[in-house]
Amino acid sequence: MKITVLSDNIAPDKTSLRGEWGLSLYIESEEKKYLLDTGASSLFSENAARLGIDLSSVDAGILSHAHYDHSDGMKTFFSLNKTAPFYISSLCEDNCYGKRFIFSKYVGIKKGLTEKYADRIIRVKGSIKLFNGVHLICHTCDGLQETGKKAGLYKKVNGRLIPDDFDHEQSLVFETEKGLIIFNSCSHAGPENILNEIKSAFPEKEAYAYFGGLHLYKSSEKEVRRMAQVLKESSLQLIVTGHCTGGKAYKILKEALGDRLGQLHVGKVTEI
C-alpha cells in the first residue's frame, strides 16, 4: 500500500507543492486507487499533477465527512474523473455550521452539490465492502452532541442549529497482513470511539495504522495528554497525523509516542 498526501496544512519549502487548511489522500492498494477527500479547493488536483498522479485513474472516491475543507474539491474531481463512484455517508447533508456565541458560518458541503452529482454519489449506511479487504464504516457513537458543542460545530435541523453529533463521519479501513489500516480524516467522534467501533466490526483483527487528523488543535494540554495515553496503549504501531491535530498537540503526542507518530504534509509518501 502506498499513501500520498495531496492536501494538508503543511507543505514542504522550496517546492512547487502548496498547502491549505484541508486534507486529501491518494491511496494505491491491490491494483486499485482511491481518493479520500478533496481538500478545500482544487489544490489537491494541482498538487497531484505536480506529483505525477493521474486522478482520472482513481477507482473510488470517498468523503470522510460533510465539512468544506474535505469536500470543496469534489466538483474538480468529478470533472477530472468521469467514472469513479464517490462514497459518502447516507447522513451527509449540506447543513453543517460553525458557531461562536451568536455568530454562525456555513462550513459544509457546497449547497446543491450532492444533488447535482447524484449519479456519481453512493450513499453509505452502516458499513459496506468496496473491494476485497476494503471497507467503509459509518460511525454511530452516541452522546457526541457535547463534543460538537465544545468544538463549535453544529447542524441545521428543521431550521435550527443543534450541536453536531458527527453521524456523517465514516472511516476507510483496509485489511492487511500487518493488521487493519484505518483512515479517518478528522476523527470528530474521537480516536478512542473510532477504534472501538472498528474493533467491534473486526473483532479478530488488530489495528496496525491510523491516518488522519485528530482534531486536537483547540484541545487543552490535559486533553491531548489523555489522548496520547489512549493511543500509546492501543495496538497501533503507526499513526500519521496532521491537518486538524495542530502543531502544539503534535509535539505532545510525539513526546509520548516517539517513532510510532508521523507528520502529514503535502507530498508525503508512506509505504506499508
Side-chain angles (χ1 to χ4, degrees), residues 174 176-182 195 205-211 234-239 260 270-272:
F174 290 80
T176 75
E177 292 181 0
K178 288 190 172 183
L180 300 175
I181 300 177
I182 301 164
L195 288 170
K205 298 184 181 294
E206 294 286 356
Y208 171 76
Y210 194 109
F211 287 80
S234 75
S235 63
L236 293 168
Q237 299 303 303
L238 177 64
I239 303 154
R260 292 166 69 184
T270 304
E271 295 193 43
I272 299 175

XYZ file of all heavy atoms in Angstrom, residues 174 176-182 195 205-211 234-239 260 270-272:
215
model
N -8.679 -0.812 5.646
C -8.057 -1.845 4.811
C -7.606 -2.998 5.706
O -6.969 -2.774 6.743
C -6.831 -1.289 4.080
C -7.146 -0.299 3.001
C -7.435 1.023 3.320
C -7.149 -0.676 1.669
C -7.723 1.946 2.332
C -7.439 0.244 0.664
C -7.724 1.558 0.997
N -4.980 -5.852 6.073
C -3.669 -6.207 5.545
C -3.043 -7.283 6.423
O -3.548 -7.591 7.514
C -2.722 -4.993 5.503
O -2.272 -4.686 6.846
C -3.405 -3.774 4.909
N -1.927 -7.835 5.959
C -1.227 -8.850 6.735
C -0.720 -8.296 8.068
O -0.610 -9.029 9.053
C -0.065 -9.422 5.925
C -0.512 -10.246 4.717
C 0.659 -10.820 3.954
O 1.817 -10.564 4.370
O 0.434 -11.513 2.953
N -0.421 -7.014 8.113
C 0.077 -6.401 9.345
C -1.040 -6.054 10.315
O -0.789 -5.828 11.498
C 0.883 -5.142 9.014
C 2.230 -5.438 8.372
C 3.085 -4.187 8.287
C 4.489 -4.520 7.829
N 5.383 -3.335 7.802
N -2.246 -5.970 9.805
C -3.384 -5.586 10.626
C -4.246 -4.578 9.884
O -4.045 -4.328 8.678
N -5.196 -3.979 10.582
C -6.102 -3.008 9.967
C -5.410 -1.664 9.797
O -4.736 -1.181 10.701
C -7.345 -2.831 10.833
C -8.187 -4.080 11.090
C -9.316 -3.754 12.057
C -8.732 -4.661 9.794
N -5.598 -1.065 8.623
C -5.117 0.291 8.378
C -6.347 1.176 8.257
O -7.211 0.957 7.411
C -4.242 0.354 7.123
C -3.027 -0.567 7.306
C -3.791 1.785 6.855
C -2.113 -0.642 6.107
N -6.429 2.169 9.133
C -7.623 2.992 9.295
C -7.349 4.410 8.815
O -6.327 5.016 9.149
C -8.041 3.032 10.774
C -8.318 1.605 11.284
C -9.260 3.939 10.984
C -8.351 1.505 12.794
N -11.744 3.603 17.166
C -11.031 2.331 17.300
C -11.939 1.254 17.907
O -11.908 0.096 17.475
C -9.784 2.515 18.161
C -8.630 3.287 17.515
C -7.564 3.617 18.551
C -8.024 2.502 16.362
N -9.262 -8.928 14.528
C -8.130 -8.246 13.912
C -7.673 -7.068 14.767
O -8.480 -6.414 15.427
C -8.493 -7.767 12.507
C -8.851 -8.916 11.559
C -9.116 -8.417 10.166
C -9.486 -9.570 9.239
N -8.367 -10.512 9.045
N -6.377 -6.793 14.739
C -5.802 -5.658 15.462
C -5.612 -4.479 14.515
O -5.317 -4.657 13.329
C -4.445 -6.041 16.072
C -4.524 -7.098 17.163
C -5.074 -6.544 18.468
O -5.317 -5.327 18.558
O -5.255 -7.349 19.406
N -5.756 -3.286 15.045
C -5.475 -2.084 14.265
C -3.968 -1.850 14.232
O -3.317 -1.803 15.277
C -6.187 -0.882 14.876
N -3.412 -1.703 13.042
C -1.966 -1.516 12.880
C -1.596 -0.047 12.646
O -0.631 0.455 13.224
C -1.453 -2.369 11.718
C -0.018 -2.072 11.347
C 1.033 -2.545 12.142
C 0.299 -1.302 10.232
C 2.354 -2.262 11.824
C 1.608 -1.014 9.906
C 2.638 -1.494 10.697
O 3.926 -1.198 10.387
N -2.371 0.645 11.798
C -2.009 2.024 11.438
C -3.259 2.899 11.380
O -4.361 2.420 11.099
C -1.275 2.055 10.105
N -3.041 4.191 11.634
C -4.133 5.181 11.646
C -3.635 6.426 10.932
O -2.608 7.003 11.305
C -4.493 5.496 13.094
C -5.794 6.234 13.318
C -6.886 5.577 13.890
C -5.950 7.578 13.003
C -8.077 6.236 14.142
C -7.135 8.248 13.231
C -8.213 7.573 13.804
O -9.392 8.233 14.038
N -4.353 6.849 9.899
C -4.009 8.047 9.146
C -5.129 9.074 9.274
O -6.305 8.745 9.103
C -3.825 7.714 7.654
C -2.568 6.955 7.335
C -2.498 5.593 7.550
C -1.465 7.617 6.810
C -1.339 4.884 7.253
C -0.301 6.922 6.511
C -0.239 5.553 6.727
N -2.932 1.623 22.719
C -3.617 0.907 21.643
C -2.650 -0.028 20.928
O -1.436 -0.016 21.175
C -4.205 1.902 20.639
O -3.173 2.450 19.820
N -3.182 -0.815 20.011
C -2.347 -1.721 19.222
C -1.651 -1.020 18.064
O -0.833 -1.628 17.367
C -3.211 -2.860 18.670
O -4.202 -2.346 17.783
N -1.952 0.253 17.852
C -1.413 0.976 16.704
C 0.110 1.069 16.752
O 0.685 1.518 17.741
C -2.005 2.386 16.640
C -3.509 2.473 16.341
C -4.013 3.886 16.592
C -3.811 2.035 14.910
N 0.738 0.684 15.649
C 2.187 0.794 15.525
C 2.599 2.000 14.711
O 3.749 2.438 14.757
C 2.743 -0.479 14.883
C 2.485 -1.734 15.685
C 3.054 -1.644 17.093
O 4.254 -1.407 17.271
N 2.200 -1.804 18.101
N 1.640 2.568 13.967
C 1.921 3.719 13.122
C 0.725 4.659 13.142
O -0.405 4.239 12.870
C 2.203 3.264 11.687
C 2.448 4.371 10.653
C 3.714 5.161 10.997
C 2.549 3.785 9.256
N 0.960 5.921 13.484
C -0.069 6.958 13.478
C 0.495 8.129 12.693
O 1.511 8.709 13.082
C -0.429 7.404 14.913
C -0.891 6.200 15.741
C -1.493 8.488 14.891
C -0.683 6.365 17.222
N 6.402 5.968 16.676
C 5.090 5.483 16.223
C 4.292 6.596 15.548
O 3.301 6.313 14.853
C 4.285 4.925 17.400
C 4.856 3.641 17.977
C 4.242 3.304 19.324
N 2.838 2.907 19.236
C 2.080 2.647 20.294
N 2.576 2.749 21.521
N 0.816 2.280 20.149
N 3.904 7.413 2.207
C 4.088 6.338 3.174
C 3.795 5.013 2.486
O 2.743 4.865 1.852
C 3.144 6.501 4.382
O 3.337 7.789 4.982
C 3.412 5.413 5.422
N 4.706 4.077 2.585
C 4.511 2.748 2.014
C 4.428 1.713 3.134
O 5.223 1.730 4.061
C 5.646 2.407 1.039
C 5.661 3.326 -0.185
C 6.556 2.818 -1.287
O 6.516 1.600 -1.558
O 7.276 3.619 -1.898
N 3.443 0.856 3.044
C 3.249 -0.191 4.042
C 3.196 -1.543 3.315
O 2.449 -1.703 2.362
C 1.943 0.028 4.828
C 1.986 1.363 5.572
C 1.685 -1.110 5.781
C 0.715 1.739 6.288
